[in-house]
Amino acid sequence: MTELTIESLDQEGRGIAHADGKVVFIEGALPGELVRAEIIKRKPSYDIARAVAIHRANASRVVPRCPHFGVCGGCTLQHADEALQIAAKQRALEDALARIGRVRAETLLPAIDGPDWGYRYRARLSVRDVPKKGGVLIGFHERKSSYVADMRECHVVPPKISGLLPALRALVESLSIRTRLPQIELAVGERLTPRALAADIEPERLIHALVLRILEPLSLSDEAKLVAFADAHGVEFWLQPGGPDTVAPFYPPGATLAYTLPEFDIAVPFSPTDFTQVNAAMNRVLVRRALQLLGPSPGERVADFFCGLGNFTLPIARRGAHAIGIEGSKALVARAEANAARNGLAQRTTFVCANLFTVTPEFVEGMGALDRALIDPPREGAIGLVKALPHRDDERVLARIVYVSCNPATLARDAAVLVHERGYRLAAAGVVNMFPHTAHVESMAVFEP
């Protein structure tokens, strides 16, 4: 046991301290606290510990709401209030920009936050039949473990789903394929209507879809049980017998899902296994902020790199610009084109299939004159793309680039290229609290010549 003073948080939500010339990462500790810690793993350059007593607590320490916190790996920061969580994420972004990118934002954007609880409209829950623990378990993995947490409730998924966990476990236990059903994926959406909806998300019209990953076909008895459960609890079942492309509605047949961006009068149909933002309410704010920062105008040509289903492409087009969405999957490009047509934006959009990880300057030049660009890459970032963008001194220079990131390290790396090699300024940056109670950092950055 050793006493440590916590200096900051790392990107996994652990406290950081120093002892005997080594960095110590302490689970369950917050900045400014004096804790007694137990070392649980020693490495040559660092140790990992857990806090066993708090001698001086941070004023932002709170009692975790979930009884599974500390065991379940779904959350890491329920012991900190929202203000501390956001401050830690802002610091993580600034530290990454300074340490990795050697850049500093001229302006820090106000943090974007939203609902703390019940926000996860997407979740992948593991299923295991463990007789020693009483039968079927459904939940996230335990922290740093392949074991499934014995979850009886979960406060970051919608209350309807949290309340259904015991009944869902009983349902799976009753199925003939309970040992051949390793996963249930949650996808919450809205019912698809003939045109884009123009109202806020209302609980009474939300669809709670449960995708069962099945390794064997259901028996007739299994099918009857799923139908009865769906009718009794107001959920929908989809089945996934193979890869993501095999997902199809089971009950009710022909079921559809969509999410809406009412501010832009847009509805986006999606499949439960498509990539969409986990936090639907925050996605609406994210899109609004991105469009405000990007500032597309009628008559401009604006690129949306890594466009997916058109989450940013369609709002850009709705603002009057011609939006060019670029994505690496032909299937996604076709879906994005269909979404543009459904929302009456086919004439203001163009979609291109291209591998943006190997993109060249010649490809970007071949897109024609571009006024602005939005970049929303996966965690790997967009290093190939940013190296291919026109230099500040080029006549094709972009008036503004908005970069939406889910990984501050790769954002910082790409920012270094944009600033030190391509000549842009990091005009602004800030965080989006897309995943409350986790250490995940979503952020935005604005680059200008």
Side-chain angles (χ1 to χ4, degrees):
M1 296 286 184
T2 182
E3 287 197 350
L4 298 168
T5 299
I6 310 304
E7 302 159 15
S8 59
L9 293 180
D10 74 352
Q11 292 192 23
E12 294 184 28
R14 300 175 299 188
I16 299 175
H18 287 82
D20 301 323
K22 294 171 69 176
V23 176
V24 186
F25 300 100
I26 307 98
E27 297 175 357
L30 297 175
E33 293 187 331
L34 178 64
V35 305
R36 187 166 78 251
E38 175 187 19
I39 303 296
I40 56 178
K41 188 177 293 185
R42 293 187 184 275
K43 295 287 185 178
S45 60
Y46 67 90
D47 292 335
I48 298 176
R50 73 165 60 93
V52 295
I54 311 296
H55 296 315
R56 183 180 67 238
N58 187 308
S60 292
R61 177 175 283 275
V62 296
V63 176
R65 178 167 172 173
C66 179
H68 306 303
F69 179 72
V71 175
C72 171
C75 296
T76 55
L77 286 173
Q78 282 195 23
H79 57 309
D81 67 17
E82 183 184 22
L84 190 153
Q85 291 184 34
I86 293 173
K89 294 177 183 186
Q90 185 74 47
R91 178 168 178 176
L93 172 62
E94 294 177 55
D95 286 351
L97 290 171
R99 179 173 50 85
I100 300 171
R102 295 176 291 111
V103 295
R104 183 176 180 177
E106 296 173 6
T107 300
L108 289 178
L109 299 169
I112 300 174
D113 62 346
D116 282 354
W117 305 102
Y119 67 85
R120 286 204 67 150
Y121 278 21
R122 302 294 306 272
R124 184 171 294 168
L125 303 175
S126 294
V127 181
R128 297 288 186 277
D129 185 20
V130 188
K132 291 182 179 179
K133 292 189 176 181
V136 167
L137 304 180
I138 298 177
F140 297 116
H141 284 126
E142 293 182 358
R143 191 173 295 186
K144 299 185 182 302
S145 170
S146 61
Y147 293 119
V148 178
D150 186 5
M151 283 171 48
R152 307 284 172 162
E153 58 190 276
C154 177
H155 296 281
V156 294
V157 300
K160 181 184 184 76
I161 299 301
S162 177
L164 273 182
L165 285 174
L168 191 58
R169 290 166 65 149
L171 170 68
V172 174
E173 282 185 340
S174 75
L175 300 179
S176 68
I177 64 164
R178 68 180 187 178
T179 62
R180 305 292 289 163
L181 197 166
Q183 176 183 297
I184 298 176
E185 193 155 353
L186 166 69
V188 179
E190 299 167 71
R191 197 167 304 283
L192 194 60
T193 59
R195 64 182 304 278
L197 299 168
D200 289 334
I201 296 174
E202 298 171 1
E204 60 267 22
R205 61 180 174 83
L206 289 179
I207 299 168
H208 296 75
L210 298 172
V211 183
L212 308 184
R213 175 71 174 98
I214 55 172
L215 304 181
E216 291 181 7
L218 297 169
S219 68
L220 291 177
S221 174
D222 293 339
E223 292 182 352
K225 290 173 182 176
L226 293 184
V227 170
F229 188 94
D231 286 339
H233 299 288
V235 297
E236 298 184 356
F237 281 111
W238 295 53
L239 300 180
Q240 182 184 346
D245 293 341
T246 66
V247 170
F250 167 70
Y251 184 81
T256 59
L257 291 171
Y259 71 87
T260 60
L261 301 170
E263 183 175 339
F264 301 93
D265 195 24
I266 285 169
V268 180
F270 69 94
S271 166
T273 53
D274 285 338
F275 172 78
T276 57
Q277 290 289 359
V278 163
N279 191 327
M282 285 300 297
N283 183 57
R284 292 179 169 184
V285 183
L286 179 76
V287 173
R288 178 190 306 134
R289 169 71 68 85
L291 269 286
Q292 289 172 343
L293 295 172
L294 188 63
S297 300
E300 291 187 327
R301 298 182 79 247
V302 180
D304 177 15
F305 294 105
F306 303 95
C307 69
L309 295 170
N311 189 51
F312 293 106
T313 326
L314 303 185
I316 290 169
R318 187 68 84 199
R319 286 290 183 255
H322 188 89
I324 304 98
I326 307 95
E327 179 55 62
S329 161
K330 289 183 179 179
L332 271 180
V333 166
R335 300 271 300 284
E337 288 176 334
N339 289 341
R342 185 187 184 281
N343 286 277
L345 294 169
Q347 300 303 312
R348 288 193 216 151
T349 53
T350 302
F351 292 93
V352 178
C353 184
N355 183 347
L356 291 172
F357 297 106
T358 60
V359 69
T360 63
E362 290 73 24
F363 172 83
V364 176
E365 186 173 358
M367 292 176 63
L370 296 173
D371 296 287
R372 303 166 193 268
L374 188 140
I375 305 173
D376 182 20
R379 290 189 62 80
E380 297 90 333
I383 189 68
L385 172 63
V386 296
K387 288 182 175 180
L389 294 178
H391 191 275
R392 178 187 61 189
D393 296 333
D394 193 308
E395 63 180 7
R396 299 177 299 113
V397 63
L398 297 166
R400 190 167 298 158
I401 300 167
V402 172
Y403 191 129
V404 179
S405 170
C406 59
N407 184 344
T410 52
L411 168 61
R413 179 203 63 196
D414 295 349
V417 173
L418 286 168
V419 173
H420 302 306
E421 297 181 25
R422 312 314 292 161
Y424 291 85
R425 301 161 29 241
L426 177 54
V431 297
V432 180
N433 198 20
M434 185 69 73
F435 295 82
H437 314 299
T438 77
H440 176 95
V441 180
E442 190 93 5
S443 55
M444 280 185 178
V446 181
F447 299 88
E448 295 178 347

